[in-house]
Amino acid sequence: MFAIPSGPQDGQDPFADCEVTVELAFCNPRMTAAPIEPRAAVASWDADTQRLTYWACTQFPHQTRDTLSAFCGLEPSQVHVITPDVGGGFGAKNAQYVEDFVVASLACRLKRPVRWAETRSEAMVGFTHARAISYAARLGGTCDGNVTAYEVDALQDAGAYPMIGSLLPMFVRTMATGVYDISNVTVSTNSVTTNTAPVGAYRGAGRPEAALAIERMMDLFAAEIGMDSGELRRRNFIAPEAFPFKTPTGADMDSGEYAKALDAVLEAADYPRLRAEQERRRSEGSAKLLGLGWSAYVEISHPMGAPEFGSLEVRDDGSALVLTGSSNHGQGHHTAYAQIASDLTGIAFERIEVRHGDTDAVKRGGGTGGSRSLQTGGAAVFEAAEAVVEQAKEVAAAMIEADPADIVLDVDAGTFAVAGTPARSLDWAQIATHVNESDGRELQAESDFQPPAATFPFGVQLSVVEVDRDTGQVTPLRHVTCDDAGVIVNPMIVEGQVHGGVASGIAHALGEVFVYDDDGNPLTGNFMDYAIASAAELPSFERIPLETPTDRNPLGAKGIGESGTIGATPAVQNAVVDALSHLGVRHVDLPCTPERVWRHLTPSGQPSGS
């Protein structure tokens, strides 16, 4: 167990001068990553080469190679890890599980191939769980909406055999104030072990936990002073001119345009019309109550700051091979990295091959997690492509007998020529062939991009839900988001990442919860009992793009894979509470299931103080 205090050290009570203070104890319930594709593994020992080949279901192939070699008493060079299409990872496939070590060890001992695939029931209790954190929070400020003090005490259920889950509350501390300029902040966290599945990384890994706490409290404060919750957020946003901005808890934030994102959502949603419709339903006694829920979030992407490998080689036929240490499992790396290489070299997109997930083919790599891929893996490809272009200019200059400084690349044509003399040009195939034949080497460059710091994508989300008075059923009607990801390389990929993240966040708000009984027996051990959402339960999301570049990588890009989830859960929870607010309801615990909501609508079942 550990504790992290953060806050004023002079002994003064930061809430002493607050005109208004609100307090709430609430929880962020346990869930599981639940990828549609459970884990599987195949291991094979080659007696002739004395090597182990391991087909792994992982987000970190090189880390898998190193840990398996250590466990099996082999050198890393004796282990070949191949990561094919592994389905969804969501952070939960970022580590090795007991089964990986068993399969690898058996193959080495028996000198025979060994395979293993888990069932859904095994995955539900053996795979990483997430969230499982409860809060006691206090927020204070003035009657006119100036928030001045925030305090949160978080208790993390780390599960048995605590791994990264026991450390995730560090992000609750770092990201405690979210997008708000709050000067007085106090954070304490404790992690405890329990007889449940270990808690680990899942889509956001600590950042959704921080966002839920502050966003729930902001809504509670707005209700207390009678201010629209969107307006309260606007009044307390960190101003654009304040960036780069360092929060009291140590987050070194690069850039932000929070009010701009809020305004975009207000306009797209036609917020005044929605509020008018909400009031109409209330006044007419409609059976379908309308709720509007805000969430303004900021994410810390690639918080651990590890480097990433990328290389580019131009072949003799003018095509190119890109190698990356990041590992694709549905994010579209092949497309984005080929785009970057094509944009810089002029080599046609369809003539660029991208390889990943093979430790024999790719020298080294950090893997995929923490929304790091484009800003590190993509930046490494960017730097490698730039280096290859400079090499090609040197070679072209020698071939044309010109000064290298006079050689220019026509990206549209993919040719090199002396500036102002395009008639005499050389294409990539000619240059690569010349290098190979004259020097016996490949036209190739590599990079290990080391980011100077994390980036901080952000966004504003508005959830519109309908609550049935008679049954408590919550139906999401609309979900409008404006999400910043820095410079966008591929809009379709970003759109897909946001959609997937929002779907996950909504599902957690309305139904996804992993339940144990008092004796530690799992009650949600399959998809019949665990309420994972399908497309049928979700609306069509409305997304507004926003680009606020960062100076922390050459692409100007930030992460996006986790952002949608971070913003969606508090937006939906706030919307449910908003739908019931005129009945005196101040809070509804997650998940907002029909029964839980119905109890707030039924006088006999309404919890005291709600």
Side-chain angles (χ1 to χ4, degrees):
M1 185 168 72
F2 69 95
I4 306 176
S6 170
Q9 303 299 314
D10 57 6
Q12 299 297 312
D13 180 5
F15 291 87
D17 296 329
C18 292
E19 298 173 346
V20 179
T21 301
V22 292
E23 298 182 17
L24 185 66
F26 56 111
C27 67
N28 194 337
R30 175 181 287 262
M31 62 182 300
T32 181
I36 301 304
E37 305 86 349
R39 293 169 294 147
V42 178
S44 177
W45 176 260
D46 189 319
D48 295 332
T49 62
Q50 293 291 291
R51 297 190 80 208
L52 172 70
T53 300
Y54 194 86
W55 286 265
C57 186
T58 180
Q59 298 171 216
F60 291 81
H62 293 83
Q63 181 188 91
T64 300
R65 176 198 63 191
D66 295 343
T67 54
L68 290 182
S69 64
F71 183 82
C72 295
L74 302 171
E75 294 296 323
S77 60
Q78 290 181 275
V79 179
H80 177 199
V81 171
I82 301 171
T83 303
D85 293 333
V86 302
F90 313 122
K93 291 179 181 176
N94 73 349
Q96 286 69 63
Y97 291 82
V98 172
E99 295 86 355
D100 293 294
F101 297 113
V102 171
V103 171
S105 180
L106 283 175
C108 292
R109 293 185 185 186
L110 301 176
K111 313 303 181 189
R112 296 182 59 184
V114 177
R115 66 179 181 179
W116 167 79
E118 69 181 350
T119 65
R120 175 57 58 190
S121 295
E122 289 172 337
M124 295 299 284
V125 295
F127 206 41
T128 290
H129 287 188
R131 311 303 186 237
I133 189 169
S134 55
Y135 319 89
R138 182 163 57 146
L139 193 68
T142 65
C143 293
D144 61 358
N146 181 27
V147 175
T148 59
Y150 177 47
E151 179 182 74
V152 60
D153 182 15
L155 181 64
Q156 174 71 67
D157 174 359
Y161 318 109
M163 302 182 293
I164 189 175
S166 61
L167 300 175
L168 289 179
M170 67 182 176
F171 291 119
V172 175
R173 177 189 186 277
T174 303
M175 303 305 295
T177 55
V179 296
Y180 308 111
D181 190 355
I182 306 174
S183 55
N184 295 307
V185 185
T186 303
V187 183
S188 63
T189 71
N190 285 279
S191 290
V192 296
T193 56
T194 61
N195 62 335
T196 58
V199 169
Y202 173 75
R203 210 154 192 169
R207 286 88 88 196
E209 291 86 327
L212 183 73
I214 185 62
E215 288 305 295
R216 188 77 275 280
M217 295 306 294
M218 290 295 285
D219 257 38
L220 198 65
F221 191 89
E224 185 71 16
I225 65 174
M227 179 178 287
D228 182 83
S229 55
E231 180 58 28
L232 177 70
R233 286 169 168 81
R234 181 195 300 280
R235 292 192 182 200
N236 291 280
F237 282 153
I238 301 166
E241 59 271 16
F243 290 94
F245 183 86
K246 194 160 188 176
T247 70
T249 54
D252 182 15
M253 301 165 73
D254 50 357
S255 62
E257 289 269 7
Y258 307 144
K260 187 175 182 179
L262 176 67
D263 289 338
V265 174
L266 280 167
E267 181 179 357
D270 194 355
Y271 189 64
R273 184 188 63 79
L274 289 172
R275 282 295 182 198
E277 172 64 14
Q278 179 186 57
E279 185 56 38
R280 183 192 67 78
R281 293 191 186 197
R282 288 175 175 178
S283 63
E284 294 179 1
S286 171
K288 305 290 187 181
L289 297 171
L290 197 67
L292 312 179
W294 286 106
S295 171
Y297 71 89
V298 61
E299 142 89 311
I300 177 173
S301 60
H302 192 28
M304 308 312 291
E308 188 55 275
F309 170 80
S311 71
L312 186 141
E313 174 190 328
V314 181
R315 297 161 168 151
D316 289 357
D317 64 356
S319 65
L321 171 65
V322 169
L323 301 179
T324 176
S326 60
S327 185
N328 178 63
H329 46 279
Q331 296 92 336
H333 293 174
H334 293 80
T335 301
Y337 294 175
Q339 280 185 255
I340 292 168
S342 179
D343 288 347
L344 287 171
T345 63
I347 298 172
F349 172 85
E350 61 272 13
R351 302 201 70 207
I352 299 175
E353 177 188 358
V354 178
R355 289 185 192 167
H356 80 283
D358 187 319
T359 60
D360 276 8
V362 182
K363 295 180 180 180
R364 52 195 175 273
T368 293
S371 298
R372 70 190 295 269
S373 295
L374 184 64
Q375 61 185 309
T376 53
V381 172
F382 182 97
E383 290 188 341
E386 280 192 324
V388 169
V389 169
E390 292 306 310
Q391 289 180 28
K393 287 181 179 179
E394 294 281 346
V395 175
M399 294 173 69
I400 299 175
E401 298 181 346
D403 187 333
D406 295 332
I407 299 295
V408 295
L409 167 62
D410 183 341
V411 175
D412 292 333
T415 57
F416 295 83
V418 174
T421 317
R424 188 183 178 192
S425 62
L426 298 168
D427 62 23
W428 281 104
Q430 292 171 300
I431 294 173
T433 299
H434 178 81
V435 169
N436 186 272
E437 292 178 349
S438 60
D439 299 338
R441 64 179 179 87
E442 307 299 330
L443 183 59
Q444 185 264 357
E446 60 186 47
S447 169
D448 291 278
F449 178 73
Q450 175 63 65
T455 63
F456 290 80
F458 62 89
V460 172
Q461 300 190 12
L462 176 67
S463 173
V464 183
V465 304
E466 197 171 66
V467 176
D468 190 307
R469 283 180 183 263
D470 298 323
T471 66
Q473 177 68 43
V474 179
T475 302
L477 298 181
R478 296 177 66 187
H479 202 94
V480 187
T481 80
C482 181
D483 307 281
D484 162 75
V487 174
I488 296 175
V489 172
N490 186 298
M492 184 177 292
I493 290 175
V494 171
E495 189 96 1
Q497 286 291 293
V498 172
H499 283 196
V502 169
S504 172
I506 292 176
H508 186 46
L510 297 183
E512 274 195 63
V513 58
F514 198 96
V515 180
Y516 289 92
D517 67 15
D518 292 341
D519 296 318
N521 298 306
L523 302 180
T524 47
N526 54 53
F527 282 170
M528 288 295 292
D529 302 315
Y530 185 80
I532 193 168
S534 72
E537 286 81 49
L538 300 168
S540 294
F541 309 131
E542 303 166 51
R543 182 177 174 273
I544 307 152
L546 181 65
E547 294 184 85
T548 309
T550 181
D551 60 1
R552 296 177 179 177
N553 62 71
L555 297 171
K558 305 176 185 178
I560 193 63
E562 297 161 305
S563 295
T565 302
I566 295 170
T569 301
V572 173
Q573 185 179 24
N574 287 338
V576 173
V577 175
D578 179 68
L580 310 181
S581 61
H582 65 299
L583 303 175
V585 176
R586 296 174 68 245
H587 180 71
V588 178
D589 269 331
L590 294 177
C592 301
T593 59
E595 179 185 0
R596 184 167 282 164
V597 174
W598 177 81
R599 290 189 180 277
H600 284 277
L601 288 163
T602 306
S604 60
Q606 188 166 314
S608 61
S610 63

